[in-house]
Amino acid sequence: MAAQTHPLHSLFTSLPPTLKTRQNNLSKPTTLTVKCKSISGRKLRAAVIGGGPAGSSTAEALALGGIETFLFERSPDAAKPCGGAIPLCMLDEFNIPSELIDRKVTHMKIISPSNLTVDFGKTLKPNEFISMLRREVLDSYLRSRAESSGTTLLKALVTGLDVPTSADKPYVVNYTMDGSRRSLSVDVVVGADGANSRVAKAIHAGDYACAIAFQERIKLPEDKMDYYRNLAEMYVGNDVSPDFYAWVFPKCDHVAVGTGTVCSKQDIKLFQHGIRERVYPKIKGGKVIKVEAHPIPEHPRPVRVRGRVALVGDAAGYVTKCSGEGIYFAAKSGRMCGEAIVRASEGGERMIEEEDLKREYLRVWDTNYITTFRFLDLLQKVFYGNNAGREALVELCGDEYVQRMTFESYLYKKLADGNRWEDAKMVMNTIGSLVRCNLVGKDMQHILLKERLFA
């Protein structure tokens, strides 16, 4: 979804393919236990399904670590509907060149249901900004880099994954390429194929709730585009989403206007109409140049590792509630998983097993990030449940301490150094805003009810 810093983020602070395998839909998954052994005469072979930031980062780490790596991407030219915001730390951590950045956002506004507007970003330092880019540009760059690192890139549609019945047999990736059906036998599979992951289905990783993100790219007249030169906007309210926020994010020569929801996916076009109405004066005269929609996971999957298969990025459910941030966590989980496989296989010299993936990848990931995901889930329930909560959220965003803590935590992906007294005040202000705005919300509901009765 629209990856963006979010207010109050800081409050939680060569194997023959003809080997017999079983079709994954014929029986329940089997957890294979294998005594790890060295591989003679070849390197460990891995298939990465999905060529977004998660898959490309996985493939790059695997290839650099000595693993024979195949990266499958069915639509290299396609672009996922996404706000396209990435934190400052990602530029250095993943060596993202500056020429990929469309806009450097240094100003941000958050607008409440009653149109109370708060300038969010007063505490940003001169060298701090939020990078805005297009996913088609970023994804293409990361895939090319993975390929230059030794990955074999296949423009192909993966149609299924056959799971072996014994530990010494390979996984078989079935796919279509250039109009023909093919298959590839591999030792390890990494699913980076999004919210509707075929890999996740193959290993019976469990279901999860999905949101839908809808976005229009709108080319604006020059004077209106200049308004959004370094500005991003977030809108909250029942008219734009019952459980998330809507956004206007600047791109190279256009803006992305979109929204998302979990509970009312059938009404997504109604909410998109709502955000267009809210921003109409600012986008009047603009021309829609592209319309995009895509499912977005709402929480981590029940199973993210089974056998010699691991899930990363959206396929694993790594999109945060509240902020909808996914790009950084996709790339991070992919790199972590790839490096974990390299470590466990000793540079591709030995076979790995499920426990290796759990120990080297999953436990490390959960230790670092799962608490953040759970707390942001809680915050979304508190502040996005109704318009009163949204008014409280915007009110709190006016506090400069809240802004500083939020941006430091978001930009650098580490807990900001706070002040105990200010932290206590922030908690009390949060409670006060919720109480006050709930009262205001009830009063407004009573007034509207009376108007309807006497109309």
Side-chain angles (χ1 to χ4, degrees):
M1 203 173 285
Q4 176 65 291
T5 180
H6 189 275
L8 305 186
H9 183 273
S10 60
L11 283 179
F12 13 94
T13 32
S14 157
L15 297 175
T18 55
L19 287 174
K20 293 182 181 179
T21 57
R22 67 171 171 82
Q23 294 296 326
N24 59 66
N25 61 343
L26 296 181
S27 60
K28 294 182 179 179
T30 301
T31 297
L32 304 178
T33 301
V34 56
K35 184 177 181 180
C36 291
K37 55 186 179 182
S38 62
I39 305 172
S40 60
R42 67 179 183 87
K43 287 282 193 174
L44 191 77
R45 175 182 280 190
V48 182
I49 317 301
S56 296
S57 297
T58 306
E60 181 182 32
L62 289 170
L64 288 173
I67 311 296
E68 185 181 6
T69 307
F70 296 85
L71 175 62
F72 292 82
E73 171 54 48
R74 67 174 181 173
S75 304
D77 298 325
K80 176 182 174 183
C82 175
I86 61 173
L88 193 60
C89 66
M90 187 174 178
L91 299 179
D92 290 332
E93 188 176 345
F94 289 86
N95 297 313
I96 307 299
S98 59
E99 56 264 29
L100 267 60
I101 301 172
D102 286 335
R103 302 278 175 172
K104 295 181 178 181
V105 169
T106 55
H107 294 85
M108 180 176 164
K109 292 182 179 181
I110 178 168
I111 299 95
S112 79
S114 66
N115 283 324
L116 170 67
T117 301
V118 167
D119 291 325
F120 198 78
K122 302 173 185 175
T123 63
L124 282 175
K125 298 172 184 176
N127 63 331
E128 292 179 334
F129 55 88
I130 300 169
S131 300
M132 290 289 177
L133 39 69
R134 288 160 290 163
R135 279 293 302 272
E136 60 268 33
V137 175
L138 175 66
D139 293 10
S140 176
Y141 171 79
L142 293 176
R143 278 194 300 271
S144 295
R145 197 167 72 182
E147 193 172 15
S148 66
S149 298
T151 297
T152 298
L153 177 62
L154 300 175
K155 183 179 179 181
L157 170 64
V158 172
T159 57
L161 176 67
D162 296 342
V163 180
T165 56
S166 60
D168 60 344
K169 302 298 183 183
Y171 290 85
V172 177
V173 180
N174 301 301
Y175 63 98
T176 58
M177 187 170 71
D178 298 328
S180 63
R181 296 181 180 180
R182 307 183 188 187
S183 62
L184 178 72
S185 297
V186 297
D187 304 303
V188 183
V189 177
V190 178
D193 48 342
N196 293 327
S197 171
R198 289 182 182 271
V199 176
K201 290 180 174 67
I203 65 169
H204 301 265
D207 295 326
Y208 56 9
C210 276
I212 183 170
F214 189 97
Q215 176 175 277
E216 294 172 303
R217 299 194 192 197
I218 304 177
K219 192 170 183 64
L220 302 180
E222 188 174 340
D223 59 327
K224 286 184 166 58
M225 191 65 220
D226 188 61
Y227 173 78
Y228 286 108
R229 178 170 49 87
N230 60 352
L231 170 69
E233 292 181 327
M234 293 172 55
Y235 292 79
V236 291
N238 283 330
D239 58 330
V240 297
S241 177
D243 52 1
F244 200 62
Y245 66 87
W247 61 87
V248 182
F249 292 162
K251 302 296 181 182
C252 58
D253 60 353
H254 62 275
V255 292
V257 180
T259 185
T261 180
V262 178
C263 68
S264 298
K265 292 190 281 288
Q266 69 279 6
D267 296 322
I268 188 65
K269 289 188 178 180
L270 179 64
F271 301 130
Q272 181 66 14
H273 177 75
I275 180 58
R276 285 179 64 101
E277 286 291 305
R278 292 275 292 271
V279 302
Y280 179 73
K282 301 172 188 176
I283 65 171
K284 184 179 180 181
K287 179 183 179 181
V288 176
I289 57 176
K290 194 171 186 178
V291 179
E292 306 163 314
H294 201 79
I296 304 294
E298 278 296 290
H299 55 79
R301 283 192 187 272
V303 175
R304 288 166 284 152
V305 167
R306 177 164 276 143
R308 287 174 275 127
V309 180
L311 303 176
V312 295
D314 283 13
Y318 296 152
V319 176
T320 59
K321 288 288 194 71
C322 239
S323 64
E325 182 180 5
I327 300 177
Y328 175 81
F329 291 114
K332 186 69 173 181
S333 64
R335 177 176 284 183
M336 286 178 66
C337 184
E339 291 175 344
I341 294 170
V342 170
R343 286 195 303 271
S345 68
E346 298 175 1
E349 298 295 331
R350 61 186 284 270
M351 187 61 67
I352 66 169
E353 60 181 343
E354 180 175 306
E355 184 53 38
D356 292 320
L357 287 171
K358 288 183 174 178
R359 180 186 66 252
E360 298 291 338
Y361 161 53
L362 204 54
R363 291 172 190 165
V364 177
W365 173 268
D366 286 350
T367 297
N368 283 281
Y369 299 113
I370 203 66
T371 300
T372 296
F373 276 69
R374 289 171 177 168
F375 202 88
L376 285 170
D377 189 1
L378 174 62
L379 282 185
Q380 180 159 333
K381 292 174 182 176
V382 172
F383 288 106
Y384 289 161
N386 53 56
N387 277 349
R390 298 177 190 113
E391 291 287 350
L393 171 66
V394 176
E395 182 180 286
L396 284 168
C397 290
D399 187 289
E400 290 196 11
Y401 182 73
V402 171
Q403 295 189 22
R404 182 174 71 82
M405 296 296 287
T406 297
F407 274 108
E408 286 189 16
S409 298
Y410 170 78
L411 292 175
Y412 304 107
K413 287 294 173 284
K414 61 182 181 181
L415 187 63
D417 294 327
N419 176 285
R420 290 185 178 182
W421 170 243
E422 292 293 340
D423 287 342
K425 284 173 60 179
M426 182 168 62
V427 171
M428 295 305 296
N429 287 339
T430 301
I431 296 172
S433 291
L434 285 170
V435 171
R436 182 165 55 256
C437 289
N438 266 301
L439 290 174
V440 171
K442 290 176 182 178
D443 289 342
M444 289 179 68
Q445 289 174 6
H446 287 312
I447 292 170
L448 289 173
L449 179 60
K450 287 180 180 180
E451 288 179 350
R452 288 174 183 169
L453 288 174
F454 291 99

